[in-house]
Amino acid sequence: MQHMASPAFKNCSDCPIRHRAVCAKCDSDELALLEDIKYYRSFSAGQPVLWAGDHMDFVASVVSGVASLTQTMEDGRTQMVGLLLPSDFVGRPGRSVATYTVTATSDLMMCCFRRKPFEQMMDTTPHVAQRLLEMTLDELDAAREWMLVLGRKTAREKIASLLSIIARRDAAFSTSNPGKALTFELPLTREAMADYLGLTLETVSRQMSALKRDGVIALSGKRRISVPDMDKLLFEAGDDSDGGFLT
Amino acid sequence: MQHMASPAFKNCSDCPIRHRAVCAKCDSDELALLEDIKYYRSFSAGQPVLWAGDHMDFVASVVSGVASLTQTMEDGRTQMVGLLLPSDFVGRPGRSVATYTVTATSDLMMCCFRRKPFEQMMDTTPHVAQRLLEMTLDELDAAREWMLVLGRKTAREKIASLLSIIARRDAAFSTSNPGKALTFELPLTREAMADYLGLTLETVSRQMSALKRDGVIALSGKRRISVPDMDKLLFEAGDDSDGGFLT
DNA sequence: CGAACAATTGACCGAATTCAATCCGTGTGG
DNA sequence: CCACACGGATTGAATTCGGTCAATTGTTCG
């Protein structure tokens, strides 16, 4: 169940997303203003955070864990339209109704800011607005990248693209050992993968098996993936050889 | 061929996109600053504006006409990732390399701002940055909406969705006469429609014929579309009955 | 008129979906 | 402790939607 919660750190200056989130450009004075209007909420894996159409009186940053943004049609077809990782922003200043459903994909900690005072800060402290613009432009690029995946890639390429993205993110955190096998935890069920990729969960399962059979990936358990040769995975994703990966 | 060009109006205050573009929130002083760093460029239908990877020393607003943003894989598969209509913004402050290929889909007039001074204005005049944030958030919503279309809709629903979007935009310009047939010009070739929808041009053609046969749309010539019953079209698009259309 | 290009239509094929059976790991109650 | 239920995942067989290849029809413009 969702509850007010305390994170493992004391204040903003020790926050793990201090230098990547919407507050990244703030100086200590500005940070103090944010401290006043923030509170933490945590959710366990699988819990809904918000339903599309809900009233929201806050905006928030993901502190730890993974959340998903999804859109659903009346007949139940659903499409994931965003994967929210630590430092990503939820909500839209100036809009009090949620456009998308937000779900905690793993255990999740969010840093929430009360809407009204946050919107005032947007007007008064340019650093918040500047950082939010940068982040939104990055999100837009990511969304457009994903449109190519959804519109033009085969099922196998879609899977490889998703694994590349997650591997890339993980590589950024752990120490990169070039040439060595890269191993990471997959934070999504087969169904969530299918919803992200515009596929059925059966097709996801089949293509995962095929990639395993072909030696592109190896599985230990259901969720732990290891990639012996990152270039091979990127090739399967159909991206340019460089792909912007660690170059 | 692309050339420097004069628009049909004298200065910013007479500009047709004055109140919707990135300059919408500017006062007359700020507008004067923009006047100094702007110049016009025009392109005829079909002309490329920018190739992905090109150096750009400007950002721009679409003044009139339609342009498309596309992404292409090495093997030639291409996906349109944005349709740029009058008032839409091209380029990204702080980035001097084009991420996407931009093509003039119809005759096109752009208002270009030299990059460096524009970026300075972004820092000094909050109105420009504020408006750009709003516009980018809108673009992000549109991109996510489109992810649902690409990932989960059938070919017929995709076509109906595209026609709905164009019809909606046109309805916003012309006087809306509820209950009457809505008629508009389709600013895209079948191939461009296919690239937008993640389909082949043959499938686009077949589904257009099917929608015509079923009385959802009527064609006069190849490009002029009329929609006798907008609700029927929205139903075919698979959207909620309201769909945010004129409500 | 004929060339070039856009669009339509048909026949066939194949990748992904659908429907269905089975497997596997985990947790729960007899 | 084992049986069994449950959800997630895998695998199989049949179907279908959209893609591919190819022929044809329009349409525009030198």
Side-chain angles (χ1 to χ4, degrees):
Chain A
M1 195 21 86
Q2 174 261 319
H3 46 79
M4 297 299 154
S6 303
F9 50 90
K10 301 169 208 88
N11 48 35
C12 284
S13 49
D14 301 320
C15 177
I17 59 169
R18 165 71 179 93
H19 299 289
R20 308 218 293 138
V22 74
C23 52
K25 296 189 160 191
C26 291
D27 58 35
S28 49
D29 288 355
E30 292 162 343
L31 221 50
L33 292 173
L34 282 172
E35 293 261 19
D36 276 352
I37 63 170
K38 80 167 206 275
Y39 56 98
Y40 293 98
R41 291 173 70 184
S42 70
F43 300 84
S44 47
Q47 289 292 319
V49 175
L50 281 169
W51 295 100
D54 277 3
H55 180 80
M56 297 177 72
D57 41 27
F58 63 91
V59 296
S61 292
V62 173
V63 177
S64 63
V66 182
S68 66
L69 289 184
T70 56
Q71 241 178 331
T72 304
M73 297 170 67
E74 301 99 290
D75 62 8
R77 282 176 281 177
T78 87
Q79 175 65 49
M80 197 184 296
V81 297
L83 199 55
L84 299 172
L85 304 176
S87 83
D88 283 339
F89 189 78
V90 184
R92 176 169 172 163
R95 177 177 294 169
S96 60
V97 173
T99 311
Y100 309 104
T101 297
V102 182
T103 311
T105 288
S106 67
D107 287 346
L108 182 71
M109 172 72 74
M110 299 211 309
C111 173
C112 303
F113 304 106
R114 288 183 288 119
R115 159 174 303 291
K116 282 291 171 212
F118 185 86
E119 284 169 359
Q120 281 167 355
M121 274 196 74
M122 288 280 298
D123 291 333
T124 53
T125 73
H127 285 163
V128 174
Q130 279 170 14
R131 178 65 188 141
L132 188 57
L133 176 58
E134 279 180 7
M135 293 175 70
T136 306
L137 286 164
D138 286 342
E139 287 275 309
L140 183 55
D141 279 348
R144 285 173 166 164
E145 180 85 17
W146 207 249
M147 288 171 68
L148 176 66
V149 174
L150 290 173
R152 292 303 187 190
K153 292 196 178 179
T154 64
R156 170 181 264 244
E157 289 170 333
K158 285 179 173 182
I159 301 283
S161 298
L162 176 57
L163 295 178
S164 303
I165 286 180
I166 299 184
R168 182 177 333 187
R169 166 177 68 85
D170 249 62
F173 275 71
S174 61
T175 53
S176 62
N177 37 2
K180 297 280 184 57
L182 186 60
T183 303
F184 57 91
E185 200 74 20
L186 190 64
L188 301 171
T189 64
R190 296 288 183 265
E191 187 177 27
M193 293 174 70
D195 285 344
Y196 201 14
L197 297 166
L199 296 172
T200 60
L201 65 97
E202 292 96 328
T203 299
V204 170
S205 190
R206 272 184 254 275
Q207 297 297 336
M208 290 287 286
S209 300
L211 288 174
K212 187 173 65 172
R213 176 164 19 82
D214 299 346
V216 181
I217 59 174
L219 305 183
S220 8
K222 299 295 163 199
R223 292 293 190 86
R224 189 135 207 93
I225 309 261
S226 97
V227 180
D229 180 356
M230 194 63 201
D231 285 340
K232 198 192 277 180
L233 182 62
L234 288 170
F235 173 78
E236 293 292 348
D239 292 335
D240 305 287
S241 47
D242 57 37
F245 179 72
L246 298 177
T247 29
Chain B
M1 189 28 79
Q2 175 259 320
H3 46 79
M4 297 299 153
S6 303
F9 50 89
K10 301 171 207 85
N11 49 35
C12 284
S13 49
D14 300 320
C15 176
I17 59 169
R18 166 72 178 92
H19 298 290
R20 307 220 292 139
V22 73
C23 53
K25 295 190 161 189
C26 292
D27 58 36
S28 49
D29 289 354
E30 292 162 343
L31 221 50
L33 292 172
L34 282 172
E35 293 261 18
D36 277 352
I37 62 169
K38 80 165 204 271
Y39 55 98
Y40 293 99
R41 291 174 71 184
S42 70
F43 298 84
S44 47
Q47 289 291 319
V49 175
L50 282 169
W51 295 99
D54 277 2
H55 180 79
M56 295 177 73
D57 40 29
F58 63 91
V59 295
S61 291
V62 173
V63 177
S64 63
V66 182
S68 66
L69 288 184
T70 56
Q71 240 177 332
T72 304
M73 297 170 68
E74 301 99 292
D75 63 6
R77 282 176 283 176
T78 86
Q79 175 66 48
M80 197 184 296
V81 297
L83 200 55
L84 299 172
L85 304 176
S87 84
D88 283 339
F89 189 77
V90 185
R92 176 169 172 165
R95 177 178 293 171
S96 59
V97 173
T99 310
Y100 309 104
T101 297
V102 182
T103 310
T105 288
S106 67
D107 287 346
L108 182 70
M109 172 73 73
M110 299 211 308
C111 173
C112 303
F113 305 104
R114 287 184 287 120
R115 160 174 302 288
K116 282 291 169 210
F118 185 86
E119 285 170 358
Q120 281 166 355
M121 275 196 74
M122 288 280 299
D123 291 334
T124 53
T125 72
H127 285 163
V128 174
Q130 280 171 14
R131 178 63 187 143
L132 188 58
L133 177 58
E134 279 180 6
M135 292 175 70
T136 305
L137 287 164
D138 286 341
E139 288 274 308
L140 183 56
D141 279 347
R144 285 172 166 165
E145 180 84 17
W146 207 248
M147 287 171 67
L148 176 65
V149 174
L150 290 173
R152 291 303 187 191
K153 291 196 177 179
T154 65
R156 172 181 262 244
E157 289 170 335
K158 285 179 172 181
I159 300 284
S161 297
L162 176 56
L163 296 178
S164 302
I165 285 180
I166 300 185
R168 182 179 332 186
R169 166 177 68 86
D170 249 62
F173 276 70
S174 60
T175 53
S176 62
N177 37 0
K180 297 279 184 59
L182 187 59
T183 303
F184 58 91
E185 199 74 20
L186 190 65
L188 300 172
T189 64
R190 296 289 184 265
E191 188 178 26
M193 294 174 70
D195 285 343
Y196 202 16
L197 297 167
L199 297 172
T200 59
L201 65 98
E202 293 95 329
T203 300
V204 171
S205 192
R206 272 186 255 275
Q207 296 297 336
M208 290 287 287
S209 300
L211 288 174
K212 186 172 68 174
R213 175 160 24 79
D214 298 347
V216 180
I217 59 173
L219 305 184
S220 9
K222 298 296 162 196
R223 293 294 190 85
R224 190 135 206 93
I225 310 262
S226 100
V227 180
D229 180 354
M230 194 63 201
D231 284 340
K232 198 192 278 181
L233 182 62
L234 288 170
F235 174 78
E236 293 291 349
D239 292 335
D240 305 286
S241 47
D242 57 39
F245 179 74
L246 297 178
T247 31

